[in-house]
Amino acid sequence: MAKKRPPTKAKRPQLTDADIPVVGAREPCPCGSGRRYKACHGRAAAHALTELVQRPFEGLPGEGDWVALRELVPAATVELPLKDGLPAGVPSVTLATVLPMAWPALRRDDGSVLLGLQNDTASGDISRDLADTLVRALEADPGTPVQARRAPADGPRMQDLLDPEGAFEPVVHSGFEFWVPDPENAAPEVAASLERANAAAIPTVKLSGVDAAYWCETPDKNHLRWVMPYPEEQLLDALARLHAAGRAGLGEGTRLVGSFRAHGLTVPVWDLPSAVTADDVEKPAAEFAERLAVALASDAPLTADERRARGGLTNRQVTLS
């Protein structure tokens, strides 16, 4: 009777973590361990994808405007300069607040790219998700949209792709006609999406005299929402000093009503009378910026009135993201 030979184990190829591709959570891990992906190399990938980046636009030119276009502005576009220049066949790359049918990106027939900013993202890092979409849009066939997907955990971020010295100059639009070169001859589904989007758009204007401040018109009153780059605690102290001194307004009938947090920055909000236009608030906003700079520079302890004012501002603070 022949002797049984002990089974031999085939040597598995030695893969580094960087070589392990992303697969479904319940599929066998590509490393060959025999475990499911989610219980093996998927753990680190899942952590990287869900870990929230508090300031995803930090380090980009115009961080405040990135936040505003993501959270506040209905219709706007910005030309994006790439660090390595535009690839052959891509005449331009344009960031847009939103695209038809909520596409993450679109490669137009002429080869130009539109990148949507207000889409849902699969990870906790909006910058990485946007960069993954942009890379795929640059390689897409002209005339095709780019679909959403889970970005690789080690993929580039927008900070890696954009020219750090490039300007970030948003153009605010009254509607979404920028979606298509010829709106009157748009495809039916695009035309319907355009009509719905235009009907929901709130009239918005970017102030020219200060950074990242946006006036908007609503049925009952107008508002100014101003994305500010200062540390939150320091900014709230400064706003409290001005509020307690009666110097936090932007003119007669205006009122600082609170603030909200968005992507790691603080956004003070003022109520404005419905008759106050964006042009009307330009000079008061510039004057407020000067008062705020003085208040930010103070390190004196808050007075009792200032502490009460700060408590009121903090109680009315809302976190958007």
Side-chain angles (χ1 to χ4, degrees):
M1 190 172 180
K3 293 183 179 180
K4 293 183 179 180
R5 294 181 180 179
T8 58
K9 295 183 178 180
K11 291 184 178 181
R12 292 195 299 264
Q14 298 300 310
L15 299 176
T16 65
D17 289 349
D19 296 326
I20 307 300
V22 176
V23 298
R26 294 181 177 276
E27 294 181 42
C29 186
C31 75
S33 65
R35 291 181 291 172
R36 289 180 177 178
Y37 180 67
K38 69 176 183 178
C40 192
H41 281 84
R43 289 179 175 177
H47 177 72
L49 289 168
T50 58
E51 186 176 8
L52 179 65
V53 175
Q54 296 292 340
R55 289 179 63 177
F57 308 120
E58 185 176 14
L60 290 171
E63 180 186 6
D65 287 310
W66 278 90
V67 172
L69 267 57
R70 168 76 182 185
E71 299 294 340
L72 308 178
V73 182
T77 56
V78 188
E79 294 298 311
L80 296 180
L82 302 188
K83 183 180 295 184
D84 298 325
L86 294 170
V90 181
S92 64
V93 173
T94 303
L95 181 74
T97 47
V98 67
L99 296 180
M101 276 77 77
W103 288 328
L106 171 66
R107 182 87 185 271
R108 283 176 155 168
D109 291 334
D110 66 356
S112 61
V113 168
L114 286 177
L115 177 66
L117 179 58
Q118 294 183 7
N119 297 81
D120 292 335
T121 54
S123 79
D125 187 354
I126 297 170
S127 179
R128 195 180 306 282
D129 289 329
L130 285 171
D132 177 69
T133 301
L134 175 55
V135 169
R136 291 187 291 126
L138 293 171
E139 299 171 349
D141 293 331
T144 59
V146 176
Q147 303 301 327
R149 76 168 190 182
R150 187 176 65 177
D154 59 350
R157 306 179 75 238
M158 293 300 284
Q159 288 83 345
D160 302 316
L161 302 181
L162 300 186
D163 182 354
E165 304 299 325
F168 190 82
E169 300 175 349
V171 177
V172 178
H173 303 275
S174 59
F176 296 87
E177 282 73 19
F178 63 85
W179 280 352
V180 288
D182 185 6
E184 294 184 359
N185 295 316
E189 64 273 15
V190 173
S193 184
L194 178 61
E195 183 178 357
R196 290 193 300 271
N198 282 344
I202 297 174
T204 301
V205 177
K206 183 184 186 324
L207 299 195
S208 60
V210 294
D211 292 335
Y214 291 80
W215 171 95
C216 68
E217 179 183 8
T218 60
D220 297 328
K221 63 186 71 173
N222 300 338
H223 304 280
L224 183 72
R225 300 176 290 187
W226 192 340
V227 187
M228 295 189 171
Y230 313 109
E232 181 179 332
E233 296 303 314
Q234 181 187 9
L235 176 58
L236 289 176
D237 281 353
L239 293 174
R241 295 181 197 278
L242 295 175
H243 193 279
R247 307 185 68 204
L250 299 173
E252 184 177 355
T254 68
R255 187 168 66 99
L256 174 64
V257 293
S259 64
F260 54 84
R261 300 184 189 92
H263 307 293
L265 297 184
T266 303
V267 187
V269 179
W270 285 262
D271 279 352
L272 312 172
S274 57
V276 174
T277 66
D279 288 339
D280 294 334
V281 83
E282 285 277 10
K283 182 179 178 181
E287 294 171 344
F288 177 84
E290 295 178 357
R291 298 196 299 272
L292 180 63
V294 174
L296 286 165
S298 175
D299 58 1
L302 296 180
T303 66
D305 287 344
E306 290 167 349
R307 288 197 300 272
R308 281 192 291 272
R310 193 186 194 284
L313 291 171
T314 303
N315 289 339
R316 296 191 295 273
Q317 193 173 46
V318 176
T319 300
L320 293 185
S321 57

